[in-house]
Amino acid sequence: MPAQPETSSTPKRLMLSTDLSARCDRALDRSTQLANEWQAELVALNVLEAAQAPDQILTWSDGAGLKELEFIAQQKLEEDLTGFTGAVSLRIAQGDAAQQVKDIAADTGSELVVTGMARDEPLGRFVLGSTVERLARSLPQPLLVVRNRPRGRYLRIVVACDFSDSSREALQTAARLFPLRELVIYHALSQPMPGVAAQDNAELQAKRIEEGAYAEFIASCHLPEQVRQRLRVVIEQGPLERSLARYVRNRGIDLAIIGAQGKGALLDMLLGSSATRLLDWLSCDTLIVRKIAAAR
């Protein structure tokens, strides 16, 4: 018997956006794992921007039309999803990838979009593709960017926090998706307090934040008691992208959740400079939250 979803508010439908290349295999595996965990329908989408697979290129070079290319893409999606026993629908589209993902996610009522990251092999690091960057900036639904091969459920989850409305949405989304997991609320102290010795600065600031801004922030989130009992705050000194990346790697974090909506949002402030580095440097999967899905 499949595992029961943790709560009735978990997504009923999620979308996998894949270009059918090997770099999206991990995103495919994660999307099927989440669909099974939540007993959700999976919408698998491939946007035909150009012929990608060798057989598609050969077919295109032989003068084949769009129908033939769509058939090859659908066949590849079916093969990739062999073994997945949950509800699934396949969608093949053409045009601008980011716009098609946004439109089809809205049309299908998908509450989460899952995609992969491109890898720059010579540099040995992951970089955001233009489509992922555009989705990160504008997709209303949470965007899960998968980096690692799934080895089970997300267990170690951190929510980046600056106590803004954007961070509140990130935490509320984390609580909705993973209500029975421990959630670490991570805050980076970028500026020391004036007139305080360096040795005592971080501890004093952390204590003041935990007793003040953090307590007010948690109260404003109106979280269920079962979630509040599993919250833990971590406050460290240093720029967010560096300190969070170090924390993620040292603690073996599975998933980092970042809020990105409105003035002052962490991702909006960071995109274009340090957010690109942040998403590049994090050694875990990243969930970008712009808007909370309507409660069921």
Side-chain angles (χ1 to χ4, degrees), residues 37-209:
E37 176 181 339
W38 294 329
Q39 295 187 21
E41 178 185 352
L42 176 63
V43 178
L45 169 67
N46 172 241
V47 180
L48 292 171
E49 288 189 291
Q52 298 162 335
D55 51 353
Q56 285 180 306
I57 295 172
L58 287 173
T59 303
W60 174 79
S61 65
D62 287 338
L66 181 61
K67 290 296 183 183
E68 288 87 345
L69 296 179
E70 288 180 347
F71 174 79
I72 293 172
Q74 178 146 338
Q75 189 176 50
K76 181 65 166 63
L77 270 179
E78 290 174 352
E79 291 173 355
D80 287 348
L81 288 165
T82 299
F84 176 63
T85 58
V88 63
S89 62
L90 307 182
R91 299 290 295 266
I92 309 298
Q94 61 174 316
D96 179 78
Q99 190 60 51
Q100 287 292 336
V101 169
K102 290 172 62 178
D103 291 345
I104 295 173
D107 290 344
T108 59
S110 297
E111 301 169 68
L112 174 75
V113 174
V114 183
T115 193
M117 294 185 77
R119 186 169 187 175
D120 187 345
E121 294 292 352
L123 296 178
R125 64 183 181 89
F126 285 80
V127 294
L128 287 175
S130 60
T131 298
V132 176
E133 284 188 292
R134 289 175 60 197
L135 290 173
R137 292 176 182 271
S138 62
L139 187 71
Q141 296 88 349
L143 175 67
L144 175 60
V145 183
V146 177
R147 176 190 295 271
N148 295 323
R149 180 175 294 108
R151 293 182 173 83
R153 297 183 174 194
Y154 288 127
L155 297 177
R156 294 172 292 276
I157 302 172
V158 60
V159 181
C161 179
D162 63 355
F163 309 118
S164 65
D165 290 343
S166 176
S167 295
R168 183 178 300 107
E169 290 193 352
L171 178 57
Q172 289 172 332
T173 298
R176 178 173 61 86
L177 299 181
F178 309 106
L180 301 183
R181 317 291 167 84
E182 179 182 82
L183 301 176
V184 173
I185 301 174
Y186 186 92
H187 180 72
L189 296 169
S190 57
Q191 297 293 332
M193 294 175 64
V196 180
Q199 182 176 356
D200 302 325
N201 206 310
E203 289 185 9
L204 179 58
Q205 278 187 285
K207 182 177 180 181
R208 289 186 179 180
I209 289 172

Side-chain angles (χ1 to χ4, degrees), residues 227-247:
V227 174
R228 291 169 64 97
Q229 292 176 352
R230 291 177 170 83
L231 294 179
R232 183 163 62 87
V233 62
V234 171
I235 301 172
E236 293 186 332
Q237 190 86 42
L240 175 63
E241 68 273 14
R242 290 181 178 274
S243 56
L244 179 58
R246 182 175 58 249
Y247 181 85

Side-chain angles (χ1 to χ4, degrees), residues 253-276:
I253 299 298
D254 301 318
L255 177 66
I257 302 178
I258 304 172
Q261 182 174 352
K263 185 178 179 180
L266 283 172
L267 196 66
D268 285 342
M269 286 192 298
L270 294 169
L271 269 174
S273 56
S274 52
T276 302

Side-chain angles (χ1 to χ4, degrees), residues 16 26 98 107:
L16 164 69
R26 296 180 179 187
D107 290 344

